Amino acid sequence: MSTLSSFLPTRFTWPWVALVVAAVLFIALVVLAYVTYRAKNRPTSEETADGTATVYDLERDFQTDTASRRMRTYRRLGRIATGSLAVSLCAGAVLIARPSTINPQPSSTASRDIILCLDVSGSALAYDRQIIAAYSQLAQNLQGERIGMSIFNSTSKTVFPLTDDSSVITNQLNYAYTLLSRVQTQESIDKMTDQEYQEVNDWLAGTQNVENSTSLIGDGLVSCTMMLPQLESRDAQNSRSASIILATDNVPSGKQTFTLNEALDIARNAKINVDALYVGTDQTSSSEAAVDMRESITSHGGTYVDLNANDTVEDIVRDITSTKSGPQLHDETSNLIDAPGLILLVLALSFLAFILTAGRMRR
């Protein structure tokens, strides 16, 4: 089907160019016709030195059968050559206008928006470096998706908005991985220089703006939801699927505006899927907070992954990507492609006819 579409044009990319070339060809033909007319009406005699006139009469000269037959053949070949050349010039003008057609093709990449939603409270910060590693590997395995990242404690901060620029995503995640390696243990914190401490503090700035409150998970999830256009736009819901990958220990401290379940309800109503990574120690994996988190996530259609139940980052990524982070939408796209095939064939055949006819005329 695509081969046939590329052979048969349905429109012109630059139609005005064909009009300009056609105008030039028309003027050239008018000039040629005028010159031919003048040549045919030139005097058929000239005066010699002694005053007598020499008369040229081609009709009389071609009265013989052989000459007459050759003359008719010559004129017929001339008309064929002229017609072939005219067709070639017209085909060339059409090619300059770029004949094209619309070629519908199914989209080969997923249409998804993914928000990486990371808890950076004191109880989760020591585990966030491993989460960032999982995020990085997840981003490397995705194609066609837009990815954004938000971190939260008592308040939220956008690290980078939705983007499909892989270099931005990679650089931001690598930078976060480097910073978080400094806060894994008390020993690594003690070894930080003043500059390194300031860099970590700058990265976390804006996440602790509510006094006496930390790790407000429901509020943080709502903030991540607000980064997605699907929350406000039904068109966005229909054109792209949306996912949030939430990493937290589900231990809030302070008054939340939204509970985790309320935040999950908001996401579900906007057709946003939420998968979760539980961070914490082996002893907290079976805690009430972990059990509540698993039940809340799975009851809203998401996947729950316990960080402690996976030996490597690859295991974490496999568990997340096995769900495809929510449904994928594949749309049919239409591409405007050049379709010169038929015009090129006409140009080649007409020009070949001109060359053969002109060669015959010379003989």
Side-chain angles (χ1 to χ4, degrees):
M1 179 65 182
S2 60
T3 304
L4 182 61
S5 298
S6 63
F7 195 77
L8 299 175
T10 58
R11 63 183 62 196
F12 297 99
T13 305
W14 302 326
W16 58 271
V17 176
L19 295 177
V20 172
V21 174
V24 172
L25 291 176
F26 177 76
I27 294 174
L29 289 174
V30 170
V31 172
L32 180 61
Y34 176 75
V35 172
T36 303
Y37 174 79
R38 289 291 304 270
K40 286 184 177 180
N41 289 275
R42 284 186 301 179
T44 58
S45 65
E46 64 179 15
E47 191 174 308
T48 60
D50 58 1
T52 61
T54 302
V55 179
Y56 302 97
D57 190 348
L58 291 177
E59 295 294 335
R60 185 181 61 191
D61 292 341
F62 285 102
Q63 284 179 354
T64 62
D65 291 341
T66 301
S68 179
R69 184 174 61 254
R70 290 185 176 179
M71 186 61 184
R72 286 195 301 271
T73 301
Y74 180 84
R75 288 174 177 172
R76 184 168 58 251
L77 292 174
R79 287 191 292 269
I80 295 174
T82 302
S84 300
L85 183 59
V87 172
S88 298
L89 293 175
C90 291
V94 172
L95 282 176
I96 294 175
R98 286 190 66 182
S100 55
T101 187
I102 294 178
N103 183 27
Q105 291 181 339
S107 176
S108 59
T109 57
S111 299
R112 285 188 289 172
D113 294 333
I114 299 175
I115 296 297
L116 311 177
C117 195
L118 181 64
D119 184 349
V120 292
S121 62
S123 59
L125 194 61
Y127 307 96
D128 284 344
R129 179 171 176 262
Q130 190 173 0
I131 300 300
I132 292 294
Y135 282 164
S136 296
Q137 190 161 341
L138 178 67
Q140 293 174 7
N141 294 333
L142 300 177
Q143 293 183 347
E145 287 84 355
R146 297 187 304 186
I147 298 177
M149 181 176 176
S150 176
I151 57 177
F152 68 89
N153 190 354
S154 63
T155 53
S156 296
K157 172 186 176 180
T158 298
V159 178
F160 59 91
L162 279 174
T163 178
D164 57 3
D165 189 329
S166 59
S167 62
V168 171
I169 298 169
T170 300
N171 291 338
Q172 290 288 341
L173 292 178
N174 287 343
Y175 181 67
Y177 184 84
T178 301
L179 292 181
L180 293 174
S181 65
R182 303 169 185 169
V183 294
Q184 280 197 290
T185 63
Q186 186 60 47
E187 182 180 359
S188 62
I189 294 174
D190 294 338
K191 290 182 179 180
M192 280 196 298
T193 64
D194 291 341
Q195 181 179 352
E196 290 173 340
Y197 178 84
Q198 187 61 48
E199 288 176 351
V200 173
N201 191 57
D202 289 342
W203 191 74
L204 296 173
T207 62
Q208 188 59 53
N209 291 339
V210 179
E211 294 183 0
N212 302 320
S213 296
T214 61
S215 191
L216 303 184
I217 293 118
D219 297 349
L221 179 56
V222 170
S223 295
C224 292
T225 304
M226 293 176 66
M227 293 177 62
L228 291 161
Q230 287 81 358
L231 182 63
E232 301 292 340
S233 172
R234 189 168 298 275
D235 290 339
Q237 293 176 11
N238 295 331
S239 61
R240 299 182 69 88
S241 61
S243 300
I244 295 174
I245 302 177
L246 173 67
T248 180
D249 58 0
N250 196 34
V251 182
S253 176
K255 184 178 180 180
Q256 300 184 97
T257 304
F258 300 95
T259 65
L260 176 59
N261 279 313
E262 290 172 340
L264 288 170
D265 288 339
I266 293 173
R268 182 169 59 184
N269 291 336
K271 297 183 179 180
I272 299 171
N273 189 78
V274 180
D275 296 324
L277 293 174
Y278 177 77
V279 298
T281 64
D282 291 332
Q283 291 74 27
T284 61
S285 291
S286 57
S287 65
E288 182 180 355
V291 172
D292 289 344
M293 180 178 173
R294 181 176 64 250
E295 291 178 352
S296 296
I297 294 296
T298 55
S299 66
H300 285 80
T303 295
Y304 176 87
V305 178
D306 187 346
L307 193 66
N308 297 298
N310 294 271
D311 296 329
T312 65
V313 171
E314 288 76 11
D315 294 334
I316 300 171
V317 173
R318 185 187 62 250
D319 284 350
I320 296 176
T321 54
S322 64
T323 68
K324 300 299 182 184
S325 298
Q328 299 184 70
L329 303 178
H330 295 273
D331 296 329
E332 188 175 82
T333 59
S334 296
N335 301 317
L336 185 65
I337 60 173
D338 290 333
L342 181 61
I343 310 302
L344 279 174
L345 179 61
V346 172
L347 176 61
L349 293 177
S350 60
F351 193 68
L352 177 62
F354 169 74
I355 293 176
L356 295 176
T357 306
R360 177 65 176 166
M361 290 175 65
R362 292 187 64 181
R363 292 200 300 268

